[in-house]
Amino acid sequence: MGDRNHSSSAISIVRATGADARALSELAFRSKASNGYDDAFMAACRDELAYSAGEVEGEEFWKAIGQEGQLVGMVCLEPDGEDGEVGHFFVAPDAKRMGVGRMLWQHMEARAGALRVRRLHLDADPFAVPFYEAMGMRVVGEAPSGSIPGRMLPRMEKVLR
């Protein structure tokens, strides 16, 4: 699903398959590392950012593909009735601030609407909070990191129309 009003019309968003698991994992790791985290932090995150073929096949993983066929972003929506968890949302470091994240977000919200999800939730990397706020999310609390014991992440929510 493209966005006709955006200059990133060369980006296509398609459903990811199990064959994409390794490339999605590598993208997530590169994207997270681009926030300036040190090697020890990134090593602690490696397992959480590694996706199996079965996980990709079994969940709503979507990938953004650039005009030259390169993977430039990904999102995973985990619907649960009227609630949806945005489990994974990453943009390639060299594609950040180019509209890829906005396109992925709009696609994911459209999918959420089609699945009758009324509320989106996510645990945000602190560096990503401004982006998520621009997408209409708001901080509603804190949640423990899945990788770093004792680290708390902003818990965010958006009520969909």
Side-chain angles (χ1 to χ4, degrees), residues 1 19 31-32 34 43 50 83 124 128 136:
M1 174 173 143
S31 179
K32 184 87 162 175
S34 73
D83 290 300

PDB file of all heavy atoms in Angstrom, residues 1 19 31-32 34 43 50 83 124 128 136:
ATOM      1  N   MET A   1       0.843  -1.164   0.000  1.00  0.00           N
ATOM      2  CA  MET A   1       0.000   0.000   0.000  1.00  0.00           C
ATOM      3  C   MET A   1       0.889   1.227   0.000  1.00  0.00           C
ATOM      4  O   MET A   1       1.663   1.450   0.898  1.00  0.00           O
ATOM      5  CB  MET A   1      -0.854  -0.057   1.265  1.00  0.00           C
ATOM      6  CG  MET A   1      -1.697   1.152   1.499  1.00  0.00           C
ATOM      7  SD  MET A   1      -2.762   0.789   2.896  1.00  0.00           S
ATOM      8  CE  MET A   1      -2.767   2.369   3.656  1.00  0.00           C
ATOM      9  N   ALA A  19      11.255 -16.691   4.674  1.00  0.00           N
ATOM     10  CA  ALA A  19      12.544 -16.547   3.998  1.00  0.00           C
ATOM     11  C   ALA A  19      13.196 -15.193   4.294  1.00  0.00           C
ATOM     12  O   ALA A  19      14.397 -15.026   4.095  1.00  0.00           O
ATOM     13  CB  ALA A  19      12.373 -16.723   2.487  1.00  0.00           C
ATOM     14  N   SER A  31      19.413  -1.110  12.685  1.00  0.00           N
ATOM     15  CA  SER A  31      18.611   0.065  13.015  1.00  0.00           C
ATOM     16  C   SER A  31      18.774   0.440  14.482  1.00  0.00           C
ATOM     17  O   SER A  31      18.997   1.609  14.819  1.00  0.00           O
ATOM     18  CB  SER A  31      17.136  -0.209  12.688  1.00  0.00           C
ATOM     19  OG  SER A  31      16.337   0.903  13.011  1.00  0.00           O
ATOM     20  N   LYS A  32      18.693  -0.542  15.371  1.00  0.00           N
ATOM     21  CA  LYS A  32      18.855  -0.305  16.806  1.00  0.00           C
ATOM     22  C   LYS A  32      20.252   0.253  17.101  1.00  0.00           C
ATOM     23  O   LYS A  32      20.401   1.224  17.841  1.00  0.00           O
ATOM     24  CB  LYS A  32      18.628  -1.607  17.570  1.00  0.00           C
ATOM     25  CG  LYS A  32      18.672  -1.490  19.067  1.00  0.00           C
ATOM     26  CD  LYS A  32      17.317  -1.119  19.562  1.00  0.00           C
ATOM     27  CE  LYS A  32      17.140  -1.393  21.036  1.00  0.00           C
ATOM     28  NZ  LYS A  32      15.856  -0.891  21.464  1.00  0.00           N
ATOM     29  N   SER A  34      22.121   1.971  15.255  1.00  0.00           N
ATOM     30  CA  SER A  34      22.320   3.324  14.720  1.00  0.00           C
ATOM     31  C   SER A  34      21.918   4.411  15.718  1.00  0.00           C
ATOM     32  O   SER A  34      22.222   5.586  15.506  1.00  0.00           O
ATOM     33  CB  SER A  34      21.556   3.504  13.405  1.00  0.00           C
ATOM     34  OG  SER A  34      20.168   3.605  13.626  1.00  0.00           O
ATOM     35  N   ALA A  43      24.840  -6.447  22.237  1.00  0.00           N
ATOM     36  CA  ALA A  43      24.964  -7.892  22.455  1.00  0.00           C
ATOM     37  C   ALA A  43      23.798  -8.397  23.301  1.00  0.00           C
ATOM     38  O   ALA A  43      23.250  -9.472  23.045  1.00  0.00           O
ATOM     39  CB  ALA A  43      26.298  -8.219  23.115  1.00  0.00           C
ATOM     40  N   ALA A  50      16.292 -11.119  16.933  1.00  0.00           N
ATOM     41  CA  ALA A  50      16.448 -12.224  15.981  1.00  0.00           C
ATOM     42  C   ALA A  50      15.093 -12.895  15.783  1.00  0.00           C
ATOM     43  O   ALA A  50      14.470 -13.338  16.749  1.00  0.00           O
ATOM     44  CB  ALA A  50      17.466 -13.230  16.506  1.00  0.00           C
ATOM     45  N   ASP A  83      -7.197  -5.003  20.689  1.00  0.00           N
ATOM     46  CA  ASP A  83      -5.877  -4.449  20.972  1.00  0.00           C
ATOM     47  C   ASP A  83      -4.861  -4.981  19.972  1.00  0.00           C
ATOM     48  O   ASP A  83      -4.951  -6.121  19.520  1.00  0.00           O
ATOM     49  CB  ASP A  83      -5.429  -4.816  22.389  1.00  0.00           C
ATOM     50  CG  ASP A  83      -6.244  -4.093  23.439  1.00  0.00           C
ATOM     51  OD1 ASP A  83      -6.216  -2.849  23.441  1.00  0.00           O
ATOM     52  OD2 ASP A  83      -6.927  -4.762  24.232  1.00  0.00           O
ATOM     53  N   ALA A 124       8.434   1.522  23.545  1.00  0.00           N
ATOM     54  CA  ALA A 124       9.269   2.302  22.638  1.00  0.00           C
ATOM     55  C   ALA A 124      10.719   2.370  23.069  1.00  0.00           C
ATOM     56  O   ALA A 124      11.018   2.523  24.257  1.00  0.00           O
ATOM     57  CB  ALA A 124       8.724   3.728  22.536  1.00  0.00           C
ATOM     58  N   ALA A 128      13.012   6.594  19.794  1.00  0.00           N
ATOM     59  CA  ALA A 128      11.914   6.584  18.834  1.00  0.00           C
ATOM     60  C   ALA A 128      10.655   7.284  19.336  1.00  0.00           C
ATOM     61  O   ALA A 128       9.709   7.458  18.568  1.00  0.00           O
ATOM     62  CB  ALA A 128      11.587   5.143  18.451  1.00  0.00           C
ATOM     63  N   GLY A 136       0.831   9.825  16.557  1.00  0.00           N
ATOM     64  CA  GLY A 136      -0.377   9.879  17.373  1.00  0.00           C
ATOM     65  C   GLY A 136      -0.337   9.045  18.644  1.00  0.00           C
ATOM     66  O   GLY A 136      -1.321   8.993  19.373  1.00  0.00           O
TER      67      GLY A 136
END
